[in-house]
Every structure is written in structure tokens, then in C-alpha cells.
């Protein structure tokens, strides 16, 4: 059986990450097909990958956010401020047209990305501080499940509502849902389920992370593991548009799979880690995603029946949420309570660095050589980088943690 967090912590985690995921996937999942339907080129859509830059660079200000978390403002105060900024940005976007007001549109998206990335630092630090090692796989699954429903609401829900009620009304609806989602977290007292730090423990910093045993190997693992995924993810929904699917159909496919198999995939990942250990889990994941990328190559070069293409998209979604659980668990195991937000942020930023690079060049590559060759390159990279990353994973992360016996009330 999985070790599960308390009901209060579980509800708070779900609400926290759902409120974070809904605005994020409004931009990351819904905006690309909307732009494509409005006639925007693949190269321009691919260039939106630069919006991931704050998620890569956030490690630079993560120590400061960790330090703020120790003040009277607390992690909850940081999260509240960041979410307020995000909601103001959504309100501003509702008054603009995605193409006609592009000059104003992009800067607002970048502000929104910075606020969301900063919120994520505080959110991850809060999660690590409230999840002892034996609860980290299930806690990571809860985060993955929240992301799944975030894709459903912020991504697919936006696409469907956009067809029904238009851009402006859709964004106001998304903002209202986000406020509802954050309520359970705000109602949870900011206490530490794991041992609190003394006030004189020292300032958080990147140097402290890099001085830890196995830090460089762990950083290498995080840096290359998701290298090929940006190539596929950035093109998947535009590819479906070019295969004749409508925005509503794409919303139903991606949202339905996120809700139906994303949540299941997240908790299946937690079970796999318990059954096989982290090493066995990663071997399964590397093989599974490589086969999925190869199937996308086949679909692009030889064609694929719509029903089979839908099944492939659902399978890819399943693997993506399985992966979220595994990577988050590995990063939590390596993160120190002395600077939980900084350590976890540095590792997640590393995974996004190559992912962002792949997303930014995917559209240009597809314009130059077609979908098929891009998917083929992603397939080859998936196997190669996956096995190299597996060899780099530090021994202390591979080991199953011993259950924690002490826990303060929450």
C-alpha cells in the first residue's frame, strides 16, 4: 500500500497545484492550437517556448524565495502574491486579441510566466516540507493529478469554451475557477509536517546544493532526461490541427485523456516506484516514451487512422503523468529541508532547460524537414539520453527511503 498524506495536506496540495496548473496550461496547452486556427505559423508558435525561460531561470531567485518563506510572510504569502499577479494578467489578456494585439499580448504572457514560476518555487518548498520521504511518491502523484485536471480545465476547457463563448468570457471563467481551487490551501495553517529549521541555519543558496554529495550527477540526470520531449510536445497539438481535428476535438482528446488517464498515470507511477524501485520505473518510462515517439513518426510519414491517433495521444499523456511522479519523487529525495524550494527548483529548472530548447526549435525544424523527421530525431534521442541519465542517477536517490517515525501535527 502507498503511504498517503493526511486528508488536510492532500486537499491542500491538490488545490495548490490545480490553481497553479490552470493558468499555466491556459498558455501552454490552449494558446498554441488557438493561434494555429487563427493562421499563425508553426515557427511563431514554436517561438512561444521562450515563455518557459522563467521556469528555467527561476533557480536564480529560488534562494531568495526560500528565505522569504522563513519570514512572517511565509510561503503562503509568497504564493498568494504571485497568484494575484497571474489573475490580473489573465484579466488583462481577456481584453486583447491574441493576434491583433500581439505587441501587448506577449509582455503580459511573460509577466504571467514569471509570477507562475516564482509561485512554483514556494509551492514545491511547501510540499517538500509537508511530505516525509515515504509519502513523497503519493504526494508527487497528487501533484501530477492536479496537473492532469489543470490541463483539462486550463487547456482543454479553454479550447472548448473558446468555441462556445469566445476569448474574453473564457478567460474570466478560468480566473474564477482558479480562485475556487486555491481556497483549501489558503485555509490550511502554515505548519511544518517535518522538522522546522532553526533561524540561524544559514541562508539558502545554489552553492549549498552543489556541495552536496552526488549533486553534479543529479543535475546531469535532470538536465538531459527530458531532452527529446520538447520536440514532440510543441508539435503534438499543431500536428492534430493539420490532421484535420477541430479545436473542440483536440480539447476533448487532450482534456479527456488528462482527466481519465493522467490522474491514473500519476498514481500508477507511484505504485510502479513502490513495486520496482526508482530504477525499474525509469527503465519502463524510457522504453515506453521511445515507442510512443516512434508511433508519432509513423503517423506523420505513413498516416494513421483518426481513432488510432487519438489512442496514441492518450498513451502519450499517460506516460507524461507517469513521468511527473517519478521525476518529482527523485527530486524530492535529493532536496534538503535546509533549502527545499531551492534544491527542487534547480532540478526542475534543469529538466525544463532542454525541454524549452526543443520546444523553441521544433516549429522551425518542422517547417524545414516536416513532422516525420522531427519525431524520428526525438525517438532516437529518447533512448540515448534516457539511458545516459539513468547511469547518472545518484545511489541515494535510487534507494527506497526508510519511513519517518516523527511528524508534527497538521
Amino acid at each position: 500500500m502507498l503511504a498517503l498524506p493526511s486528508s488536510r495536506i492532500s486537499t491542500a496540495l491538490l488545490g495548490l497545484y490545480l490553481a497553479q496548473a490552470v493558468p499555466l496550461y491556459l498558455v501552454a496547452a490552449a494558446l498554441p492550437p488557438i493561434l494555429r486556427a487563427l493562421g499563425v505559423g508553426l515557427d511563431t508558435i514554436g517561438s512561444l517556448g521562450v515563455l518557459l525561460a522563467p521556469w528555467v531561470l527561476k533557480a536564480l531567485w529560488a534562494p531568495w524565495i526560500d528565505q522569504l518563506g522563513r519570514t512572517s510572510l511565509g510561503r503562503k504569502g509568497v504564493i498568494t502574491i504571485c497568484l494575484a499577479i497571474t489573475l490580473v494578467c489573465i484579466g488583462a489578456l481577456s481584453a486583447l486579441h491574441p493576434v491583433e494585439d500581439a505587441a501587448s499580448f506577449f509582455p503580459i504572457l511573460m509577466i504571467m510566466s514569471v509570477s507562475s514560476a516564482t509561485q512554483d518555487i514556494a509551492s514545491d518548498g511547501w510540499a517538500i516540507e509537508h511530505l516525509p520521504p515515504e509519502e513523497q511518491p503519493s504526494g508527487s502523484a497528487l501533484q501530477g493529478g492536479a496537473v492532469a485536471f489543470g490541463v483539462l480545465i486550463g487547456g482543454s476547457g479553454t479550447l472548448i469554451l473558446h468555441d462556445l463563448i469566445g476569448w474574453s468570457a473564457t478567460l474570466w471563467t478560468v480566473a474564477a475557477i482558479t480562485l475556487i481551487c486555491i481556497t483549501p490551501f489558503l485555509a490550511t495553517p502554515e505548519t511544518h509536517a517535518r522538522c522546522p529549521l532553526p533561524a540561524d541555519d544559514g541562508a539558502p543558496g545554489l552553492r549549498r546544493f552543489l556541495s552536496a554529495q552526488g549533486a553534479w550527477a543529479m543535475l546531469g540526470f535532470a538536465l538531459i532526461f527530458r531532452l527529446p520531449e520538447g520536440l514532440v510536445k510543441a508539435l503534438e497539438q499543431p500536428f492534430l490541427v493539420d490532421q484535420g481535428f477541430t479545436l473542440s476535438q483536440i480539447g476533448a482528446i487532450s482534456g479527456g485523456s488528462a482527466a481519465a488517464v493522467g490522474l491514473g498515470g500519476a498514481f500508477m507511477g507511484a505504485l510502479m516506484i513502490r513495486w520496482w524501485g526508482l530504477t525499474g520505473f525509469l527503465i519502463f518510462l524510457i522504453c515506453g516514451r521511445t515507442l510512443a515517439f516512434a508511433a508519432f513518426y509513423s503517423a506523420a510519414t505513413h498516416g494513421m487512422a483518426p481513432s488510432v491517433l487519438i489512442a496514441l495521444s492518450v498513451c502519450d499523456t499517460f506516460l507524461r503523468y507517469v513521468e511527473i511522479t517519478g521525476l518529482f519523487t527523485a527530486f524530492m529525495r535529493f532536496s534538503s529541508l535546509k533549502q527545499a524550494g531551492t534544491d527542487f527548483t534547480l532540478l526542475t529548472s534543469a529538466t525544463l532547460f532542454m525541454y524549452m530548447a526543443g520546444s523553441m526549435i521544433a516549429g522551425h525544424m518542422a517547417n524545414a524537414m516536416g513532422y516525420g523527421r522531427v519525431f524520428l530525431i526525438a525517438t532516437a534521442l529518447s533512448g540515448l539520453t534516457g539511458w545516459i541519465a539513468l547511469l547518472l542517477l545518484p545511489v541515494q536517490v535510487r534507494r527506497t527511503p526508510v519511513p519517518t517515525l516523527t511528524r508534527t501535527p497538521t
Side-chain angles (χ1 to χ4, degrees):
M1 294 292 293
L2 284 174
L4 298 174
S6 67
S7 58
R8 171 178 285 180
I9 297 300
S10 296
T11 303
L13 279 173
L14 282 172
L16 173 61
Y17 282 97
L18 188 55
Q20 185 171 299
V22 169
L24 175 62
Y25 286 98
L26 161 68
V27 176
L31 191 57
I34 288 174
L35 292 177
R36 186 59 176 167
L38 291 173
V40 177
L42 288 174
D43 52 348
T44 301
I45 294 173
S47 297
L48 289 176
V50 75
L51 292 172
L52 288 175
W55 290 80
V56 175
L57 300 175
K58 64 180 179 174
L60 297 177
W61 60 89
W64 182 62
I65 299 301
D66 262 340
Q67 192 67 37
L68 279 178
R70 299 183 183 181
T71 67
S72 58
L73 181 64
R75 295 198 186 277
K76 185 178 293 186
V78 174
I79 291 167
T80 302
I81 292 171
C82 291
L83 186 60
I85 293 172
T86 298
L87 292 174
V88 169
C89 288
I90 293 176
L93 290 174
S94 70
L96 303 175
H97 187 278
V99 177
E100 296 175 2
D101 299 313
S104 302
F105 205 81
F106 181 80
I108 295 174
L109 289 176
M110 182 57 74
I111 294 172
M112 188 172 168
S113 181
V114 172
S115 66
S116 295
T118 303
Q119 178 183 335
D120 190 58
I121 299 169
S123 299
D124 292 336
W126 191 92
I128 293 170
E129 289 169 354
H130 287 74
L131 293 172
E134 68 273 13
E135 294 178 4
Q136 288 172 356
S138 56
S140 296
L142 286 170
Q143 293 181 45
V147 172
F149 281 104
V151 174
L152 174 64
I153 299 169
S156 305
T158 297
L159 292 176
I160 295 171
L161 287 174
H162 182 272
D163 278 355
L164 295 175
I165 62 176
W167 173 258
S168 181
T170 295
L171 262 63
W172 282 113
T173 302
V174 168
I177 293 173
T178 301
L179 280 174
I180 294 172
C181 292
I182 198 64
T183 302
F185 170 76
L186 295 178
T188 302
E190 189 162 21
T191 56
H192 293 278
R194 300 168 73 184
C195 296
L197 294 174
D200 59 351
D201 191 66
L206 302 181
R207 183 177 296 178
R208 172 179 275 182
F209 169 87
L210 295 174
S211 65
Q213 181 181 3
W216 287 101
M218 189 67 195
L219 189 59
F221 166 87
L223 188 64
I224 69 171
F225 190 84
R226 299 188 69 192
L227 173 63
E229 293 181 26
L231 296 175
V232 176
K233 181 58 181 173
L235 295 177
E236 183 177 341
Q237 291 189 338
F239 176 65
L240 292 178
V241 170
D242 289 349
Q243 293 297 304
F245 289 88
T246 67
L247 292 183
S248 293
Q249 288 173 330
I250 294 173
I253 293 169
S254 60
S257 63
V261 307
L263 181 60
F267 281 94
M268 181 57 69
L271 287 172
M272 289 177 183
I273 293 171
R274 178 172 176 81
W275 295 335
W276 307 334
L278 199 55
T279 300
F281 164 86
L282 289 171
I283 291 173
F284 165 83
L285 178 60
I286 293 165
C287 294
R289 75 172 186 186
T290 302
L291 290 174
F293 293 170
F296 273 109
Y297 164 73
S298 178
T301 55
H302 303 294
M304 186 173 285
S307 59
V308 180
L309 195 55
I310 291 172
L312 174 58
S313 181
V314 170
C315 178
D316 189 50
T317 298
F318 174 81
L319 290 171
R320 196 149 47 239
Y321 286 98
V322 167
E323 178 185 64
I324 287 174
T325 299
L327 291 182
F328 282 5
T329 298
F331 297 163
M332 282 187 177
R333 286 184 181 180
F334 195 83
S335 298
S336 168
L337 275 177
K338 295 178 180 179
Q339 48 176 44
T342 299
D343 290 357
F344 194 90
T345 293
L346 185 59
L347 293 171
T348 55
S349 294
T351 65
L352 283 173
F353 177 74
M354 289 299 184
Y355 183 90
M356 182 186 74
S359 297
M360 291 182 65
I361 66 173
H364 298 281
M365 292 176 65
N367 272 339
M369 62 181 67
Y371 287 112
R373 291 187 180 180
V374 179
F375 292 150
L376 180 61
I377 292 171
T379 301
L381 287 175
S382 176
L384 177 62
T385 61
W387 289 110
I388 294 174
L390 186 59
L391 293 174
L392 289 172
L393 192 65
V395 174
Q396 68 265 35
V397 177
R398 299 172 187 263
R399 293 177 182 150
T400 302
V402 177
T404 302
L405 297 179
T406 59
R407 183 184 181 119
T408 59
T410 58

